[in-house]
Amino acid sequence: MAEEKSLIEYPSQFPIKVMGKANPEYLPAIIHIAKQFDPTFDETKVEQRPSKDGNYLGITLPITATSREQLDELYRTLSTHPLVSIVL
């Protein structure tokens, strides 16, 4: 089986978008997960966008991606977190 060539050159900055219910525990939990996967993660660069009614919060995490495996595992971890609705 031939190895798939990645469309991403590693390492590179890779934005991950996460959406979840607005909750005081949500942002710290997501930042904690990001730091587990990217030791160089800079939380001052996190972008936050509340929904129109303020019920949800969109977060963009600027991750330094080092491999496809790292990104896959990060997506799995975020997707299964109880405070997360969607990961893009």
Side-chain angles (χ1 to χ4, degrees):
M1 192 182 287
E3 188 174 315
E4 282 186 43
K5 181 161 172 46
S6 177
L7 299 176
I8 302 170
E9 287 190 34
Y10 299 102
S12 69
Q13 282 298 112
F14 192 85
I16 296 181
K17 298 179 189 289
V18 185
M19 179 72 81
K21 287 205 173 205
N23 175 317
E25 299 170 10
Y26 171 61
L27 182 60
I30 300 310
I31 288 173
H32 178 74
I33 292 169
K35 286 181 176 180
Q36 288 179 313
F37 286 88
D38 177 7
T40 65
F41 181 74
D42 181 359
E43 65 184 88
T44 65
K45 295 187 177 177
V46 171
E47 294 178 23
Q48 301 179 54
R49 288 181 204 83
S51 65
K52 181 179 166 186
D53 295 328
N55 295 324
Y56 289 88
L57 180 63
I59 300 172
T60 301
L61 304 169
I63 297 294
T64 300
T66 56
S67 69
R68 172 71 185 257
E69 294 77 20
Q70 174 210 29
L71 288 176
D72 288 347
E73 190 59 33
L74 177 55
Y75 273 94
R76 272 192 288 279
T77 302
L78 289 168
S79 296
T80 58
H81 194 282
L83 297 175
V84 172
S85 301
I86 299 171
V87 181
L88 303 171

